[in-house]
Amino acid sequence: MATFILRRTGTMILTALCLTFIVFFLTNLYPNLEKLAKTQGNFRMSDEEVASWLGNRGFLQPMPVKYGQWLGILPGYVIRGTDGVLRGKCFGRHMAREDAPRFCGVLQGDWGYSLRFKDEVRAIVGVRLGLTGWLMLMVMAVMVPGALVMGVLAGMREGSRLDRTLSTVSIVTTATPEYVSGVIFIAVFASSAVGLKWFKGTATAAMNDMTFQNFALPVLTISLYGMGYIARMTRASMAEVMTAQYIRTARLKGVGFAGIVMKHALRNALIAPFTVIMLQFPWLLNGVVITETLFNYKGFGWALVEAAGNNDIELLLGISVVSVIVVLSTQLISDIGYVLLNPRIRVS
Amino acid sequence: MEPLGWADITFRLLIRFTPVWISLIAVFALSIRFRRRLGLYGRLFGSPIGMVGFGVVMFWALTAIHAGLFHLIATHDPLTQIPGMKNSPPGTPVADARTSGAYAYFLLGGDNLARDVFSRMVVGSGIVMLIAPLATVFAFMVGITLGLPAGYHGGRLDAGLSFIANLILAFPVILLFYLLVTPEIVQTGLPSYMAAILFVFPLVFVAVLVNARLRIQPGKRNRVMAATMTPLILLYLVAVSQKDTALSFLPARLDPFDIPAGILVVFVSVVFVNAPTVFRIVRGLTLDIRTRDYVAAAQTRGEGAWYIMLWEILPNARGPLIVDFCLRIGYTTILLGTLGFFGLGLPPESPDWGSTINSGRKLLSIYPHSALPPAFALLSLVLGLNLLADGLREESLKD
Amino acid sequence: MPTPEHDGPVLEIDRLSVSFFTRSRAIPAVMDFSLGIRPGEAVGLVGESGCGKSTVALAVMRDLGVNGRIVGGRIRFRGRDITAMNDAQLRHLRGNEIAMVYQEPMASLNPAMRIGRQLMEVPMIHHQKSRAEARALALEMVADVKLPDPRRILESYPHQLSGGQQQRIVIAMALMSRPALLILDEPTTALDVTVEAGIVRLIRDLGAKYGTSMLFISHNLGLILETCDRICVMYSGEAVERGKIEDVFDRMRHPYTQALFRAIPVPDADRNTRPLVAIPGNFPLPDERPRGCNFGPRCAYRVPGLCDQGRVPLQKVDGNKGHVSRCLRIADIDWTAPPAASGRGRKPGIGKVTLRVERLKKYHDLAANALFGGGERRVVRANETLSFDAHEGETLAIVGESGCGKSTFARVLMGLETATEGRILLHGNEIQDIATGDRSRETVSAIQMVFQNPFDTLNPSMTIGRQILRALEVFDIGNSHAQRHSRMLKLLDLVKLPRAFADRLPRQLSGGQKQRVAIARAFAGDAAVVLADEPVSALDVSVQAAVTELLTDIQRDHGTTLLFISHDLGIVRYLSDRVLVMYLGHIVELGTTDQVFAPPYHPYTEALLSAVPVADTSFSKREIVLEGDVPSAIDPPPGCPFQTRCRWKHRVAGGLCETRVPPMRTLPGKHRIRCHLEDPILGEMQPVITAAGKAR
């Protein structure tokens, strides 16, 4: 088991490096930098001025070198610029030049500075991640049990009335992306014009004071889309297990229906949905971004949109690193969980 | 003039869709009449779920055709602003309709720029119904062309391709979109290069298909190859070469059409996001089917690897692939909506559903009527595709 | 519920009818079926797939699913009517008073539950036993089914046991609550013959020990003979004949039973003197049954106007108590008349060597578990120094159980894998290192293969004609499409299929027909060597004979070398010229059919012969049951591969068997054996199967 986790972790680190490099590469393409120069300097800079502005700040070094510096495995640049000023990546804002460390990248904990929020990226990511964490927690608490119960109930008697009803519900929810369900929810439950006015159409207040009224809609919006998918997976898996021969063995052993479902079918039926739930994270993140934008909940996803919309390169990189790590860790958990749930795979 | 009541609005909407109803009835009548001869498609008409799904999908497809090609159904131009109609509620009469000869009402009201919501929704279906299926086809071409050899040969090739696929899959889609679909990136020409690569796959696919089948008859193979590949290569060159971008090599005379940069980048990123999933599905199916005896029988006949992949394995994987194709069009529609929702790619005035929802959501609490029609349209199309997929799955399992 | 004393039959099935309901119609699966089982009695239910025998079992358990329903008749268990029971009563019955053993042991056990819990569940449900009591019972039962180390077994998951061990667990589970009736549904079909022999013996011993009544369902007449007191033969949903074993086996009074016996090879069957007779035609689909007698259209004794009128009732057979048959012409038919001699001539002589295998070795690296990787690389020794010749026009049978390396050998021969060491010579050319794709067209078309599973051997989405045409194209036969097309039609003629089949898809064909197409495809390029990997084992008995006959006919006409891989010694003895016995990658015995089937044997061959059930009362068999399972080829035992299970091992001095692989010895008549036993001891060996001296 240890070697397995080690190998998986190795692959994960490699993947993370590749992904962050891609993000780094895309955000550091010249047009992005040019825009950066113009917004930071002034909009009427000539091409030469842009180039020297960028050159003075280390942006025109070769891409792998820049990536290495950002990562913290290459020493940060120290450049005497064309304007005669000595600049260094690691020269802190409140630090004597002599005390500056040689390395200052993500690995050293220096994630850079956000131009949009005028703050350290690390601090921003921490705060926003915390807010989104609450949202995700609520979503998981609603979505996973709901989906599993729905799937198991539908799958245990395939073709029954209950099955048909639940299956229809889950198909409808999988066909409703967050931006559709969110819009409908707001119109129906929160609109001042026609709606029922049960809930709040914005979740901004929930950042400080989470209530059922202001948090129910965003949570419901994200959960609903994922719920249908997981429920259908669970149903399919459950229905398949219920036709397995060992279920017939159990039935002909005299085990009652409840016993069959709980003792014999459930564990086998949950193996497949478990992996699915874990692999849902990449697009759960999607849902978070959409929902946070729609409900104006200033979490991680909202920060992503802000960073991307304002060409805030360092913040965008920080956010990418975090999301990539989140996604990859869930994949790792999914692999390990699969092994633990399925006795047929034993690691020697 | 008085504003219309809801009964009137509903009635007038049904009337507007008359061409769609007629074609829909024709399609159903013909299909049911000849269902015995139509294979899997025909059997769809034995499953109620499949029929409902097919009906909904066809409704939007026909709407797209009638509105896009024949300019029927829509009541107004989707981009024209009519003074005084800003945020007008459903059924509001148009002020000087009598004199200008325009349709007399905004059936579903006006949006915040005083454009007709109904017409925008109808015309928007054209954009969705064009891009989503086409992008899915390309994603399948890429996924199949790479997934077959990965599953069949295994080993390093499989490990490498799977790693890349997992890499793309681990990317949060929205981040990828924000990185790829920005004006700055378009400026670098990256989407054009990606298009140049992605558009090659259909060519490779067809070429390999022809070669595998006719390898043992070289003369016939060369003729068929030339006949199929020449138009395809021309089409490819025309599609890839764009004026005023990094890839502009064809002289203007030989380049009859250009894909608008916004659409191209949206198209490319949607294909890029979908292809790895298709790859994984095809690879999995191939791993399963390659253990069958008929594959071994082909191997013992000395068939080439590509013949086995394309003629022995692929046709027998078609059931799950067709089902996934339907689901994936739905998923692609959702992705397109997501792009529109964030205002990425397509121009802001574009009537596609995602963009319309995006522009409508800002005043959602006060004027919900402009965001809801495209939202329900998108919902119904994806729902229809899911039901269709369910029906197909049910029927294909009956074999 | 206390069981009232009941001294009548344990089970009485009275005119049972079962139908399955689809959306549009009802399909009768079992019609007018009656059977009684007395205490302690074992009754065999025999028939081909689809005849309704499993439906009878499930009807007794009242487990017919949502679509199946009992539409007529009664089933009484110890006097109580099962058809009228409610759910609670049924639950009490199932697993407690009636228990069942299934065909596929692996699928019948819950993969995610330890064996112990699955066993303990039975007494805990039915007898309200505590965990400790249930565990003690389970331990006792596991020991009863002769599994080693019961404590460890209880802690294992099903996948950690071998197939034979799993089936013993299923049997243990069925017997946990000492049921009055045990239903066994093809309990050994998925197992190897030597393992099967062990299970059969266990079932017989336990049945005697506990006095359990048994309903034994099987397609194998030999197994029924070895285990049962009475037999009921089913055909297309009906019982066609029922009676005591001796009556039905020796004095059968139904044409179907007779045809069945004539289609299976028994030890004195011979291609020339007593050939197998296939049953013509196909099994009728449940919704296309003929009018009158179901077997009518395939029956040699049919009289139009009599047999095709109304339903045929069961008739008493005079003189035999309890013997009934569903035939109107019992008295008219001369049941002792020998089958019509087929005018087939003797086989032409055997020609020169076409295929020579010299010291062939195939090891493969076991790709360390792909998901987890790491660990040391392990080697599977699939083939060890195989050497033999095969001649033109000869049928060489390769016999062995699963894991003996015969499939690997087939893959190497076909070029799907290359050899590790040694040579394969086809017409004198070395081919062992050339993968199929690199072989010349002549070589590829010269060696072709017929696969085991007819449902898997044809591409489901290509027409029959197209598939044969493709083979012709690849083998470069014919100059034009027209020529190839006519050749394709001729090939269909050759395998006795209608030409119209060219446009059909495989799913429109029956298993036997598919296998015919596979044969046509293999012979498309006039193959010099055809490798048939268990070509009939997946087919029904009545079809097996026809396909075998076809294969040997074509072989005879073309002078093809036929390598016939099989585990069925009956069919091997019937059709092969020479036999090669494999065990764990080694050839352990090689000789003519007569040499291999008569002493001296290799100890493994001896056990194998004993394990194969013989469906003829006139033969008696010495019972030799092998202990344990076939060892793994990854970790073979040192010395002789068979030493772990050999009953002659103690006769070899100095523990030689455990240290040295025996050399291949040549006995008189080029009979070769890989064994340390000395000649005098080999000479002591007695025949396994002996005719009881009864004239036939």
Side-chain angles (χ1 to χ4, degrees), chain C residues 128-162:
Chain C
Q128 285 74 46
K129 290 275 201 286
S130 71
R131 290 188 73 84
E133 286 172 307
R135 196 177 158 79
L137 270 174
L139 269 177
E140 191 186 315
M141 204 65 234
V142 172
D144 254 8
V145 293
K146 303 204 170 60
L147 281 173
D149 200 355
R151 272 168 215 290
R152 190 185 56 81
I153 297 258
L154 288 193
E155 290 306 311
S156 334
Y157 284 102
H159 69 276
Q160 294 165 322
L161 308 183
S162 72

Short mmCIF file of all heavy atoms in Angstrom, two decimals, chain C residues 128-162:
data_model
loop_
_atom_site.label_atom_id
_atom_site.label_comp_id
_atom_site.label_asym_id
_atom_site.label_seq_id
_atom_site.Cartn_x
_atom_site.Cartn_y
_atom_site.Cartn_z
N GLN C 128 -31.80 -18.68 14.64
CA GLN C 128 -31.53 -17.69 15.69
C GLN C 128 -30.30 -18.05 16.53
O GLN C 128 -30.28 -17.91 17.73
CB GLN C 128 -32.76 -17.50 16.61
CG GLN C 128 -33.88 -16.71 15.97
CD GLN C 128 -34.63 -17.53 14.92
OE1 GLN C 128 -34.95 -18.69 15.16
NE2 GLN C 128 -34.87 -16.96 13.77
N LYS C 129 -29.28 -18.56 15.84
CA LYS C 129 -28.07 -18.93 16.56
C LYS C 129 -27.25 -17.66 16.86
O LYS C 129 -27.34 -16.67 16.13
CB LYS C 129 -27.22 -19.86 15.69
CG LYS C 129 -27.82 -21.25 15.49
CD LYS C 129 -27.47 -22.17 16.63
CE LYS C 129 -27.59 -23.63 16.30
NZ LYS C 129 -28.94 -24.18 16.21
N SER C 130 -26.47 -17.73 17.91
CA SER C 130 -25.57 -16.62 18.21
C SER C 130 -24.39 -16.67 17.26
O SER C 130 -24.17 -17.68 16.57
CB SER C 130 -25.07 -16.73 19.65
OG SER C 130 -24.17 -17.83 19.73
N ARG C 131 -23.62 -15.59 17.22
CA ARG C 131 -22.47 -15.55 16.32
C ARG C 131 -21.52 -16.70 16.59
O ARG C 131 -21.02 -17.35 15.68
CB ARG C 131 -21.71 -14.23 16.48
CG ARG C 131 -22.43 -13.02 15.98
CD ARG C 131 -21.51 -11.82 16.01
NE ARG C 131 -20.49 -11.89 14.98
CZ ARG C 131 -20.71 -11.49 13.74
NH1 ARG C 131 -21.86 -10.98 13.39
NH2 ARG C 131 -19.76 -11.59 12.82
N ALA C 132 -21.26 -16.93 17.89
CA ALA C 132 -20.28 -17.96 18.25
C ALA C 132 -20.77 -19.34 17.80
O ALA C 132 -20.02 -20.12 17.22
CB ALA C 132 -20.05 -17.93 19.75
N GLU C 133 -22.04 -19.60 18.05
CA GLU C 133 -22.59 -20.90 17.64
C GLU C 133 -22.52 -21.06 16.13
O GLU C 133 -22.13 -22.11 15.61
CB GLU C 133 -24.05 -21.02 18.09
CG GLU C 133 -24.24 -21.25 19.57
CD GLU C 133 -25.72 -21.17 19.94
OE1 GLU C 133 -26.36 -20.15 19.60
OE2 GLU C 133 -26.22 -22.11 20.54
N ALA C 134 -22.90 -20.00 15.45
CA ALA C 134 -22.90 -20.05 13.99
C ALA C 134 -21.50 -20.27 13.46
O ALA C 134 -21.28 -21.04 12.53
CB ALA C 134 -23.48 -18.74 13.43
N ARG C 135 -20.55 -19.65 14.12
CA ARG C 135 -19.17 -19.78 13.67
C ARG C 135 -18.68 -21.21 13.87
O ARG C 135 -18.02 -21.79 13.00
CB ARG C 135 -18.29 -18.81 14.44
CG ARG C 135 -16.95 -18.61 13.79
CD ARG C 135 -16.11 -17.60 14.50
NE ARG C 135 -14.72 -17.87 14.15
CZ ARG C 135 -14.19 -17.48 13.00
NH1 ARG C 135 -14.90 -16.80 12.13
NH2 ARG C 135 -12.93 -17.78 12.70
N ALA C 136 -19.06 -21.79 15.00
CA ALA C 136 -18.67 -23.18 15.26
C ALA C 136 -19.26 -24.10 14.19
O ALA C 136 -18.58 -24.98 13.65
CB ALA C 136 -19.14 -23.59 16.65
N LEU C 137 -20.53 -23.85 13.88
CA LEU C 137 -21.18 -24.65 12.84
C LEU C 137 -20.48 -24.50 11.50
O LEU C 137 -20.26 -25.47 10.77
CB LEU C 137 -22.64 -24.19 12.68
CG LEU C 137 -23.68 -24.87 13.54
CD1 LEU C 137 -25.02 -24.19 13.35
CD2 LEU C 137 -23.78 -26.34 13.15
N ALA C 138 -20.11 -23.25 11.17
CA ALA C 138 -19.47 -22.99 9.90
C ALA C 138 -18.13 -23.71 9.82
O ALA C 138 -17.80 -24.33 8.80
CB ALA C 138 -19.27 -21.49 9.72
N LEU C 139 -17.38 -23.67 10.93
CA LEU C 139 -16.09 -24.36 10.95
C LEU C 139 -16.27 -25.85 10.68
O LEU C 139 -15.55 -26.45 9.89
CB LEU C 139 -15.43 -24.18 12.32
CG LEU C 139 -14.50 -22.98 12.47
CD1 LEU C 139 -13.99 -22.91 13.89
CD2 LEU C 139 -13.34 -23.12 11.49
N GLU C 140 -17.26 -26.41 11.34
CA GLU C 140 -17.54 -27.84 11.21
C GLU C 140 -17.88 -28.17 9.75
O GLU C 140 -17.39 -29.13 9.16
CB GLU C 140 -18.72 -28.15 12.12
CG GLU C 140 -19.01 -29.60 12.33
CD GLU C 140 -20.30 -29.75 13.14
OE1 GLU C 140 -20.42 -29.00 14.15
OE2 GLU C 140 -21.16 -30.53 12.75
N MET C 141 -18.71 -27.29 9.17
CA MET C 141 -19.18 -27.54 7.80
C MET C 141 -18.03 -27.42 6.80
O MET C 141 -17.91 -28.22 5.88
CB MET C 141 -20.26 -26.49 7.49
CG MET C 141 -21.22 -26.91 6.42
SD MET C 141 -22.21 -28.33 6.89
CE MET C 141 -21.87 -29.39 5.51
N VAL C 142 -17.15 -26.43 7.02
CA VAL C 142 -16.02 -26.27 6.10
C VAL C 142 -15.12 -27.49 6.18
O VAL C 142 -14.59 -27.97 5.16
CB VAL C 142 -15.24 -24.97 6.44
CG1 VAL C 142 -13.95 -24.90 5.63
CG2 VAL C 142 -16.08 -23.76 6.14
N ALA C 143 -14.97 -28.03 7.38
CA ALA C 143 -14.18 -29.26 7.50
C ALA C 143 -14.88 -30.41 6.79
O ALA C 143 -14.25 -31.25 6.16
CB ALA C 143 -13.96 -29.59 8.97
N ASP C 144 -16.20 -30.42 6.88
CA ASP C 144 -17.00 -31.47 6.23
C ASP C 144 -16.83 -31.48 4.72
O ASP C 144 -16.90 -32.53 4.09
CB ASP C 144 -18.48 -31.25 6.56
CG ASP C 144 -18.97 -32.27 7.58
OD1 ASP C 144 -18.10 -33.01 8.11
OD2 ASP C 144 -20.17 -32.32 7.83
N VAL C 145 -16.67 -30.31 4.12
CA VAL C 145 -16.50 -30.30 2.67
C VAL C 145 -15.02 -30.43 2.31
O VAL C 145 -14.61 -30.12 1.20
CB VAL C 145 -17.11 -29.03 2.01
CG1 VAL C 145 -18.61 -29.03 2.13
CG2 VAL C 145 -16.52 -27.77 2.60
N LYS C 146 -14.23 -30.86 3.30
CA LYS C 146 -12.84 -31.25 3.08
C LYS C 146 -11.97 -30.12 2.54
O LYS C 146 -11.22 -30.28 1.59
CB LYS C 146 -12.77 -32.45 2.14
CG LYS C 146 -13.56 -33.65 2.63
CD LYS C 146 -13.04 -34.94 2.05
CE LYS C 146 -13.68 -36.13 2.73
NZ LYS C 146 -15.14 -36.17 2.59
N LEU C 147 -12.13 -28.96 3.15
CA LEU C 147 -11.24 -27.88 2.80
C LEU C 147 -10.16 -27.78 3.87
O LEU C 147 -10.46 -27.94 5.06
CB LEU C 147 -12.00 -26.55 2.72
CG LEU C 147 -12.80 -26.36 1.44
CD1 LEU C 147 -13.65 -25.11 1.52
CD2 LEU C 147 -11.88 -26.28 0.23
N PRO C 148 -8.92 -27.57 3.47
CA PRO C 148 -7.85 -27.48 4.45
C PRO C 148 -7.95 -26.16 5.22
O PRO C 148 -8.44 -25.16 4.70
CB PRO C 148 -6.59 -27.50 3.58
CG PRO C 148 -7.03 -26.95 2.26
CD PRO C 148 -8.47 -27.34 2.10
N ASP C 149 -7.48 -26.18 6.46
CA ASP C 149 -7.36 -24.96 7.26
C ASP C 149 -8.66 -24.13 7.33
O ASP C 149 -8.70 -23.00 6.87
CB ASP C 149 -6.22 -24.11 6.68
CG ASP C 149 -5.71 -23.10 7.69
OD1 ASP C 149 -6.30 -23.01 8.79
OD2 ASP C 149 -4.74 -22.38 7.37
N PRO C 150 -9.72 -24.69 7.90
CA PRO C 150 -11.03 -24.02 7.89
C PRO C 150 -10.99 -22.61 8.48
O PRO C 150 -11.67 -21.71 8.00
CB PRO C 150 -11.90 -24.93 8.76
CG PRO C 150 -11.23 -26.25 8.74
CD PRO C 150 -9.78 -25.98 8.59
N ARG C 151 -10.19 -22.41 9.52
CA ARG C 151 -10.16 -21.09 10.14
C ARG C 151 -9.71 -20.02 9.16
O ARG C 151 -10.29 -18.94 9.07
CB ARG C 151 -9.20 -21.09 11.33
CG ARG C 151 -9.85 -21.51 12.61
CD ARG C 151 -8.84 -21.78 13.69
NE ARG C 151 -9.32 -22.88 14.51
CZ ARG C 151 -10.36 -22.77 15.33
NH1 ARG C 151 -10.99 -21.63 15.46
NH2 ARG C 151 -10.77 -23.82 16.01
N ARG C 152 -8.67 -20.34 8.42
CA ARG C 152 -8.17 -19.38 7.44
C ARG C 152 -9.23 -19.13 6.35
O ARG C 152 -9.45 -18.01 5.93
CB ARG C 152 -6.88 -19.88 6.81
CG ARG C 152 -6.16 -18.86 5.96
CD ARG C 152 -4.94 -19.48 5.28
NE ARG C 152 -5.30 -20.65 4.47
CZ ARG C 152 -5.79 -20.59 3.24
NH1 ARG C 152 -6.00 -19.41 2.68
NH2 ARG C 152 -6.09 -21.68 2.57
N ILE C 153 -9.88 -20.21 5.95
CA ILE C 153 -10.90 -20.09 4.90
C ILE C 153 -12.02 -19.14 5.34
O ILE C 153 -12.46 -18.29 4.59
CB ILE C 153 -11.50 -21.48 4.57
CG1 ILE C 153 -10.41 -22.39 4.02
CG2 ILE C 153 -12.69 -21.36 3.64
CD1 ILE C 153 -10.39 -22.60 2.56
N LEU C 154 -12.44 -19.27 6.58
CA LEU C 154 -13.53 -18.42 7.06
C LEU C 154 -13.16 -16.94 6.99
O LEU C 154 -14.00 -16.07 6.83
CB LEU C 154 -13.91 -18.78 8.50
CG LEU C 154 -14.65 -20.09 8.71
CD1 LEU C 154 -15.24 -20.14 10.11
CD2 LEU C 154 -15.76 -20.29 7.69
N GLU C 155 -11.88 -16.65 7.15
CA GLU C 155 -11.44 -15.26 7.12
C GLU C 155 -11.18 -14.74 5.71
O GLU C 155 -10.86 -13.57 5.51
CB GLU C 155 -10.14 -15.10 7.94
CG GLU C 155 -10.33 -15.27 9.43
CD GLU C 155 -11.41 -14.36 9.98
OE1 GLU C 155 -11.38 -13.16 9.68
OE2 GLU C 155 -12.31 -14.86 10.69
N SER C 156 -11.26 -15.63 4.69
CA SER C 156 -10.89 -15.19 3.34
C SER C 156 -12.07 -14.58 2.62
O SER C 156 -13.23 -14.76 2.99
CB SER C 156 -10.40 -16.35 2.48
OG SER C 156 -9.89 -17.36 3.25
N TYR C 157 -11.74 -13.86 1.57
CA TYR C 157 -12.74 -13.40 0.61
C TYR C 157 -12.81 -14.42 -0.52
O TYR C 157 -11.83 -15.12 -0.79
CB TYR C 157 -12.35 -12.03 0.05
CG TYR C 157 -12.59 -10.90 1.01
CD1 TYR C 157 -11.55 -10.34 1.73
CD2 TYR C 157 -13.88 -10.41 1.19
CE1 TYR C 157 -11.78 -9.30 2.61
CE2 TYR C 157 -14.12 -9.37 2.07
CZ TYR C 157 -13.07 -8.82 2.78
OH TYR C 157 -13.31 -7.79 3.64
N PRO C 158 -13.96 -14.50 -1.21
CA PRO C 158 -14.13 -15.53 -2.24
C PRO C 158 -13.01 -15.54 -3.29
O PRO C 158 -12.58 -16.59 -3.72
CB PRO C 158 -15.47 -15.17 -2.87
CG PRO C 158 -16.22 -14.49 -1.81
CD PRO C 158 -15.20 -13.76 -0.98
N HIS C 159 -12.54 -14.34 -3.68
CA HIS C 159 -11.56 -14.33 -4.78
C HIS C 159 -10.23 -14.93 -4.38
O HIS C 159 -9.39 -15.19 -5.23
CB HIS C 159 -11.34 -12.90 -5.27
CG HIS C 159 -10.63 -12.05 -4.28
ND1 HIS C 159 -11.28 -11.42 -3.26
CD2 HIS C 159 -9.32 -11.75 -4.14
CE1 HIS C 159 -10.40 -10.75 -2.52
NE2 HIS C 159 -9.21 -10.93 -3.04
N GLN C 160 -10.04 -15.16 -3.07
CA GLN C 160 -8.77 -15.75 -2.65
C GLN C 160 -8.78 -17.27 -2.74
O GLN C 160 -7.77 -17.91 -2.47
CB GLN C 160 -8.46 -15.30 -1.21
CG GLN C 160 -8.21 -13.79 -1.14
CD GLN C 160 -8.26 -13.25 0.27
OE1 GLN C 160 -9.06 -13.68 1.09
NE2 GLN C 160 -7.39 -12.30 0.56
N LEU C 161 -9.92 -17.84 -3.11
CA LEU C 161 -10.02 -19.29 -3.22
C LEU C 161 -10.06 -19.71 -4.69
O LEU C 161 -10.41 -18.92 -5.56
CB LEU C 161 -11.30 -19.80 -2.53
CG LEU C 161 -11.54 -19.35 -1.10
CD1 LEU C 161 -12.81 -20.01 -0.57
CD2 LEU C 161 -10.37 -19.72 -0.21
N SER C 162 -9.72 -20.97 -4.94
CA SER C 162 -9.81 -21.47 -6.32
C SER C 162 -11.26 -21.84 -6.62
O SER C 162 -12.10 -21.91 -5.72
CB SER C 162 -8.92 -22.69 -6.47
OG SER C 162 -9.51 -23.77 -5.79
#
